């Protein structure tokens, strides 16, 4: 009887441990660039609504062919304007960076996760609750963004491909002429 109790306890422990591992499974977004893939480990633990939005837009193909419309050397590369940034359907260089998706804006999900090289954060207007579809990838640390912008993930593979994204004009707030694009964005690795 004792042996049965130990076996049952062991089975329950194993089931609980594997259930916890399943609940903590990592989520990824893969962005195909001209120079290769970029894998972002998403952070639903700190920004669940924003992560869900990114995944939903990627699953619908809305990020495919969207321009990196604002790229500032030593700072970040911004993309994700699905309204005006699709370089195959309706691209408008003068409006890229002002649009979003057909979904409503999201409330801020600020955290204590710092902005370091490779951090992916949500772009927004002055209103902290105005993030929608646009996001940016950090080339370098940006402590001044900490607690001010929502962190949604971290590049875990392919940062060398991010480094090759065409830079914008410093005199024009990083606006890019003939910008690079996200060729394809998929959920998963």
């Amino acid at each position: 009887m004792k042996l049965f109790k130990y076996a049952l306890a062991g089975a329950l422990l194993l089931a609980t441990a594997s259930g916890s591992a399943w609940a903590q499974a990592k989520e990824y977004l893969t962005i195909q660039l001209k120079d290769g893939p970029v894998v972002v480990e998403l952070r639903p633990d700190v920004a669940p609504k924003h992560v869900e939005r990114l995944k939903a837009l990627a699953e619908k193909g809305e990020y495919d062919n969207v321009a990196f419309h604002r790229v500032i050397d030593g700072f970040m590369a911004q993309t994700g304007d699905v309204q005006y940034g699709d370089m195959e359907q309706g691209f408008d260089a003068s409006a890229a960076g002002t649009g979003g998706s057909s979904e409503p804006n999201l409330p801020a999900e600020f955290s204590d996760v710092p902005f370091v090289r490779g951090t992916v954060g949500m772009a927004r207007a002055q209103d902290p609750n105005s993030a929608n579809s646009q996001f940016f990838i950090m080339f370098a640390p940006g402590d001044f963004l900490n607690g001010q912008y929502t962190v949604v993930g971290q590049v875990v593979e392919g940062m060398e491909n991010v480094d090759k994204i065409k830079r914008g004009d410093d005199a024009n707030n990083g606006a890019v002429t003939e910008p690079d694009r996200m060729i394809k964005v998929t959920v998963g690795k």
Side-chain angles (χ1 to χ4, degrees):
M1 189 63 161
K2 253 186 181 174
L3 183 59
F4 176 74
K5 284 183 184 177
Y6 288 129
L8 182 59
L12 287 173
L13 181 63
L14 181 61
T16 303
S18 63
S20 295
W22 179 260
Q24 295 174 6
K26 294 182 178 181
E27 297 184 49
Y28 298 94
L29 200 66
T30 299
I31 304 167
Q32 184 63 47
L33 303 180
K34 69 180 182 348
D35 292 301
V38 175
V39 178
V40 176
E41 183 178 327
L42 298 170
R43 294 292 309 265
D45 57 319
V46 296
K49 291 176 183 160
H50 289 78
V51 166
E52 265 317 300
R53 173 68 54 84
L54 291 178
K55 288 170 42 182
L57 292 172
E59 285 171 343
K60 290 188 221 173
E62 292 198 41
Y63 282 132
D64 298 353
N65 295 302
V66 172
F68 281 93
H69 63 271
R70 182 172 175 243
V71 184
I72 301 173
D73 195 35
F75 179 30
M76 59 88 220
Q78 185 173 334
T79 186
D81 183 343
V82 300
Q83 185 175 4
Y84 300 117
D86 186 331
M87 295 183 70
E88 291 191 352
Q89 294 181 4
F91 180 68
D92 183 346
S94 65
T98 64
S101 70
S102 60
E103 297 297 320
N105 289 344
L106 294 163
E109 293 179 297
F110 299 151
S111 67
D112 60 359
V113 177
F115 280 86
V116 297
R117 177 172 161 75
T119 296
V120 179
M122 292 298 287
R124 62 171 175 80
Q126 290 294 104
D127 178 358
N129 300 313
S130 62
N132 188 293
S133 64
Q134 294 187 46
F135 61 92
F136 55 92
I137 304 171
M138 300 296 291
F139 290 125
D143 296 345
F144 58 96
L145 300 175
N146 293 348
Q148 306 294 313
Y149 287 79
T150 299
V151 172
V152 292
Q154 180 70 35
V155 173
V156 293
E157 294 176 29
M159 195 61 199
E160 68 278 6
N161 299 324
V162 173
D163 288 335
K164 295 175 186 171
I165 295 171
K166 183 179 180 185
R167 302 311 200 257
D169 182 2
D170 289 343
N172 198 14
N173 198 26
V176 186
T177 305
E178 297 180 29
D180 286 340
R181 67 182 81 186
M182 297 186 288
I183 296 167
K184 179 88 177 149
V185 181
T186 54
V187 176
K189 262 182 149 178

